[in-house]
Amino acid sequence: MTDILILGAGSAGCILAARLSQDPTCEVTLVEAGGWPNDPDIARPAMWPFIQGRDFDWGFVTEPQPGTAGRRHHWARGRALGGSSNLHAMAHVRGHPEDFDTWARLTGSQRWSYDSLLPYFRMSESCSTGADDLHGGDGPMPVLLPQGESHPIVGDYIRSWTALGLPRLADHNGREMIGATPNALMIRDGRRVTVADAYLTSEVLARPNLTVLDDTLVHRLTVQGARVTGAEVTRHGQPGTVTGGCVLLAMGAIASPLLLMRSGYGDPAVLSAAGIACRDARSEIGRNLHDHLLGAGNLYRSARPLAPSRLQLSESMTYQSADPSRTTGKPDIVVGCVVGPSAAEGFDAPPPGEAFTLLFGVTHPTSRGALHVTGPRIDDKPVIDPRYLQTDHDRRMFRIALDRARAVARSAPLSEWVQEEVLPGPVVADDAALDDFIARSAITHHHPVGTCRMGADEASVTDADLRMRGLDNLWIVDSSVIPAITAGPVHAAVMALAESFAAGMRAEG
Ligand SMILES: Cc1cc2nc3c(=O)[nH]c(=O)nc-3n(C[C@H](O)[C@H](O)[C@H](O)COP(=O)(O)OP(=O)(O)OC[C@H]3O[C@@H](n4cnc5c(N)ncnc54)[C@H](O)[C@@H]3O)c2cc1C
């Protein structure tokens, strides 16, 4: 019997627990700091921007960012069974196939190529449009491709893009990603479906070989030599330990590297400054932090009253090349249509019903930052420094994306919805003014990744099979191992990564 301890019951952790406990010879323990979510707003798709900061959000905050006018950014992260899938915007966008070929190149393993991951994307999905060779039909996660539910302005937004020469795609999750289409969404019967809803069903929870320990905060790993024996925890307020023969770390791109640092793995200088004895100098832990940003936003006063969104407000992301004549291959920029006002702090916006927003951003940012602990205890505030917008590439792509957003707003039929451009406003036109607006309007797209990157090089945190270098029995399986961000939201990729890992572990026995 294999004894598996999973730390973190978020998007990846719930999948690991459900898949690995299918084998009755495995004893699986799933550990989670939060509880079973019971806030009714979680299930209401249009509420997603308004539920951050509640008691199921870790509520991280970045350092002031020179690239975004010295602003701090609030980074929501789910603290509950289902993790960040309780907070996220429900967009199910896999990324471009070439993104995964980049993963394969960086890890030296075909395991992470698009073609190798495709069965695991399909395995996770139950698509409303049915199964085909690219889409899953009977997986745990419902994926809604909106038909009649899309807002009228979103239909006109898509028509304006096609008038400008972009392809009309069936969805984002085919072989091509450049083009206009509604977002595929993790919604069933008008309600959000979290990964816990989809995978930790009552049937799965009834398995005698699966134990779920909620309200259990993990402080640090317990280690003997190169073997992790378990972790020190606080469970229902009482100190204790959890143990396991195979330990799977799935606490996400912020908490996983911080746990490793509290346990003595990281940059020796960082650990020493935090008062933590270094067990193994692993300086890459916490580095390579990157995220998508969105400009919030290119905002318009609407010429017509806007009925509320029946979906999740940001109903359509349009991926495109910086070169408008290229309509295939990996995108560079994204423009999204939000059925309502969306503006960064510091800007005034008209009320809902009177304005719509075009969000704009960069699909493959080259800015890289880092995070680290400041002390040995979990409540010592971490330093989170994504170093947003530090490269010319990112600033240039952002300007192109804003320019493209303005172009679609001038194009019929979307132009018929425009009364006036509120943000940035017609006076903002030269590069310096655009850069200034972008710095003040950029907000996180909520996709931090990369802080325990997998790789072929010895400096990488895990090898291509996600085993942490320097330890015999610790694997890291969550958004932290993503070496280079995908073009779109990362959740679908995290799910496929967890599905692939679980299948590989079961096959090895
Ligand atoms: C507001 C928001 C909107 C988003 N929108 C989208 C979207 O539309 N589409 C998309 O693809 N992606 C979106 N994302 C991103 C996506 O949700 C995440 O990338 C993904 O859920 C990460 O999965 P994970 O398993 O790595 O981590 P998580 O799902 O965050 O899971 C980590 C788990 O570990 C637990 N944990 C952490 N520390 C400890 C500890 N010390 N002890 C015990 N347990 C601990 C946490 O409580 C959590 O349950 C969004 C995210 C947010 C926050």
Side-chain angles (χ1 to χ4, degrees):
M1 175 176 299
T2 313
D3 170 19
I4 299 170
L5 177 66
I6 304 169
L7 302 177
S11 300
C14 290
I15 294 175
L16 295 171
R19 293 303 191 192
L20 294 171
S21 63
Q22 277 173 339
D23 177 351
T25 69
C26 281
E27 194 66 45
V28 178
T29 305
L30 178 63
V31 178
E32 168 58 39
W36 289 96
N38 56 11
D39 185 327
D41 286 339
I42 292 173
R44 297 180 182 134
M47 281 301 290
W48 83 263
F50 312 109
I51 60 176
Q52 293 164 36
R54 297 191 183 176
D55 62 358
F56 52 93
D57 180 0
W58 288 89
F60 293 106
V61 180
T62 72
E63 295 300 292
Q65 294 296 292
T68 62
R71 294 153 55 223
R72 291 183 188 269
H73 296 260
H74 289 267
W75 278 14
R77 291 285 99 186
R79 179 178 180 146
L81 273 292
S84 297
S85 72
N86 289 286
L87 287 167
H88 82 347
M90 291 149 279
H92 184 80
V93 180
R94 293 175 183 171
H96 190 270
E98 284 179 33
D99 292 331
F100 304 99
D101 298 337
T102 301
W103 292 13
R105 182 174 50 77
L106 292 172
T107 58
S109 170
Q110 282 307 308
R111 174 172 191 176
W112 304 113
S113 72
Y114 180 73
D115 286 339
S116 300
L117 276 175
L118 184 55
Y120 302 106
F121 281 118
R122 294 184 71 250
M123 186 183 283
S124 67
E125 299 169 346
S126 190
C127 292
S128 62
T129 43
D132 59 27
D133 55 351
L134 290 175
H135 301 85
D138 56 4
M141 180 55 74
V143 178
L144 169 73
L145 188 63
Q147 310 286 337
E149 304 92 332
S150 292
H151 196 280
I153 196 173
V154 173
D156 283 346
Y157 167 80
I158 289 172
R159 278 185 279 279
S160 286
W161 280 123
T162 55
L164 288 174
L166 270 189
R168 173 67 165 92
L169 298 176
D171 75 341
H172 289 120
N173 297 321
R175 295 250 171 212
E176 294 297 344
M177 203 174 170
I178 292 180
T181 179
N183 294 339
L185 299 166
M186 289 166 37
I187 291 178
R188 182 174 46 210
D189 300 331
R191 296 168 68 80
R192 172 202 294 269
V193 178
T194 71
V195 179
D197 297 332
Y199 281 79
L200 298 185
T201 58
S202 49
E203 189 187 311
V204 170
L205 292 171
R207 290 178 188 155
N209 62 334
L210 174 61
T211 305
V212 179
L213 302 179
D214 66 343
D215 192 13
T216 304
L217 186 64
V218 180
H219 295 276
R220 61 187 61 76
L221 300 171
T222 52
V223 184
Q224 282 176 0
R227 283 194 76 74
V228 177
T229 55
E232 291 172 21
V233 301
T234 305
R235 177 157 165 74
H236 300 321
Q238 298 299 316
T241 54
V242 289
T243 58
C246 295
V247 181
L248 310 185
L249 178 52
M251 288 170 25
I254 316 299
S256 285
L258 295 178
L259 173 78
L260 292 172
M261 291 182 208
R262 288 197 302 277
S263 308
Y265 301 89
D267 181 333
V270 165
L271 299 184
S272 162
I276 297 168
C278 180
R279 281 180 176 276
D280 193 0
R282 293 272 153 202
S283 297
E284 280 294 292
I285 293 172
R287 293 189 183 161
N288 189 45
L289 172 63
H290 55 298
D291 185 17
H292 287 136
L293 281 174
L294 287 172
N298 180 207
L299 194 146
Y300 294 90
R301 193 177 300 282
S302 180
R304 304 171 185 165
L306 284 156
S309 168
R310 289 159 64 194
L311 296 165
Q312 40 57 285
L313 294 164
S314 50
E315 294 187 15
S316 175
M317 305 301 280
T318 308
Y319 295 91
Q320 34 195 304
S321 165
D323 166 6
S325 67
R326 179 168 68 81
T327 54
T328 60
K330 203 161 118 168
D332 305 304
I333 57 172
V334 61
V335 176
C337 182
V338 181
V339 186
S342 177
E345 81 285 2
F347 292 102
D348 290 328
E354 295 179 21
F356 68 93
T357 314
L358 302 178
L359 301 174
F360 53 96
V362 183
T363 56
H364 298 93
T366 53
S367 300
R368 294 289 183 273
L371 55 78
H372 65 80
V373 290
T374 59
R377 290 151 31 108
I378 196 162
D379 47 8
D380 292 320
K381 278 228 171 320
V383 167
I384 300 176
D385 183 7
R387 292 180 209 142
Y388 282 141
L389 285 172
Q390 288 303 294
T391 63
D392 288 340
H393 166 272
D394 293 358
R395 290 188 292 268
R396 190 167 61 84
M397 289 297 143
F398 243 113
R399 286 195 295 272
I400 295 172
L402 173 53
D403 185 56
R404 215 56 73 71
R406 288 171 135 179
V408 78
R410 287 193 299 269
S411 167
L414 185 62
S415 56
E416 291 157 23
W417 291 82
V418 173
Q419 181 178 321
E420 61 166 340
E421 185 189 81
V422 178
L423 293 175
V427 290
V428 175
D430 63 56
D431 278 4
L434 290 171
D435 281 350
D436 176 65
F437 173 69
I438 289 164
R440 290 186 298 120
S441 69
I443 57 171
T444 176
H445 200 352
H446 306 289
H447 305 154
V449 296
T451 46
C452 298
R453 69 175 173 89
M454 55 177 163
D457 56 310
E458 281 302 313
S460 60
V461 180
T462 81
D463 64 19
D465 294 325
L466 307 187
R467 190 194 302 255
M468 181 166 145
R469 293 181 188 279
L471 287 172
D472 291 343
N473 63 333
L474 182 86
W475 289 263
I476 308 176
V477 192
D478 61 23
S479 48
S480 71
V481 299
I482 291 176
I485 200 161
T486 53
V490 293
H491 193 264
V494 172
M495 291 178 66
L497 191 136
E499 288 276 15
S500 165
F501 179 86
M505 194 168 186
R506 286 193 61 185
E508 276 178 22

